[in-house]
Amino acid sequence: MAAMTALTTLCPPPGPTTDIRWETVEATLGMPLPQDYKELAGRYGPGVFNGFVHVYHPHGATEYADLTGPMPGRIRAQLSKDRAQGTHPVPYDPETLFACAVTDNGEYLFWITDPAGDPDRWRIAVNQARGPDWFTYDGTLTAFLTAVLGGRIEVPLFPASLGGTPAGFAPAHPVPRQPGALPGPLAGHRPVDTGSIRSWARARGYDVPPRGRVPLEVREAWERRSPKG
């Protein structure tokens, strides 16, 4: 595929290909997947592009980075709620949106799964992390990543410097999952002080309540933070 060749030239994969049982993955999801994504996931494995775009993967390092994990369903449910309550506009039917990646800032990348039976024609949509704006790309996820990392398109929701730095990919390392642990962004981690998460989040512009449950996107962003951040 031309887009994959361009991406691997721009951003060399980290090592051997990942063996993925796509029949099982698609049966679990109840839908077919784009061929470009299958090649992308196999060539790169789970990880992050330019320290910013985390692509969901069938072998995700945590449940919350796993394509077959809880995140796509929860995000779709939140979009449906936003649309019904008028919290934020959603330009597409939430039932046609399937989250396939997330950024460090909390934007989600979606496949627009229309037509449902022809995944190679699916386009990419990106929503603003804490606002109403959306961006749509008329092409595959691989082509989108190549265009963004190569500086050929500028997504207003992303940092302007994203395409101006050398492209790179960092593999994600699996996080041990305790048998019977409750699913959650911090499953398998030792308990943390939510006050520390709130302070970290407010310093970075997140809207967090003074008490009660920390919003899921905030806890995800905190978990993905750099060791110094």
Side-chain angles (χ1 to χ4, degrees), residues 23-31 68:
E23 298 86 353
T24 302
V25 174
E26 291 177 318
T28 300
L29 295 174
M31 68 179 192
T68 62

Side-chain angles (χ1 to χ4, degrees), residues 18-20 22 25 37 41-42 44-48 54-72 100 102 169-177 184 187 189 223:
T18 302
D19 184 25
I20 302 170
W22 289 112
V25 174
Y37 171 77
Y44 286 90
V48 54
H54 303 252
V55 176
Y56 291 158
H57 193 281
H59 297 169
T62 71
E63 293 93 337
Y64 282 75
D66 196 317
L67 189 75
T68 62
M71 284 311 297
C100 56
V102 63
F169 180 84
H173 302 291
V175 174
R177 304 179 187 181
H189 291 235
E223 187 182 10

Side-chain angles (χ1 to χ4, degrees), residues 64-179:
Y64 282 75
D66 196 317
L67 189 75
T68 62
M71 284 311 297
R74 290 192 177 185
I75 296 165
R76 178 180 286 171
Q78 184 61 54
L79 290 177
S80 296
K81 182 178 178 181
D82 286 346
R83 198 182 210 200
Q85 297 181 348
T87 307
H88 290 307
V90 181
Y92 302 100
D93 180 352
E95 290 302 314
T96 69
L97 295 175
F98 192 95
C100 56
V102 63
T103 74
D104 265 6
N105 286 345
E107 293 93 7
Y108 290 105
L109 281 64
F110 300 90
W111 283 307
I112 306 171
T113 61
D114 181 29
D118 193 354
D120 293 332
R121 291 174 56 193
W122 293 353
R123 297 176 294 155
I124 299 297
V126 185
N127 72 334
Q128 189 175 14
R130 290 165 293 281
D133 295 337
W134 286 73
F135 178 88
T136 301
Y137 178 78
D138 190 13
T140 67
L141 177 61
T142 302
F144 175 79
L145 290 171
T146 304
V148 170
L149 299 180
R152 291 195 288 106
I153 63 170
E154 187 171 308
V155 180
L157 311 180
F158 291 174
S161 60
L162 184 61
T165 57
F169 180 84
H173 302 291
V175 174
R177 304 179 187 181
Q178 298 176 355

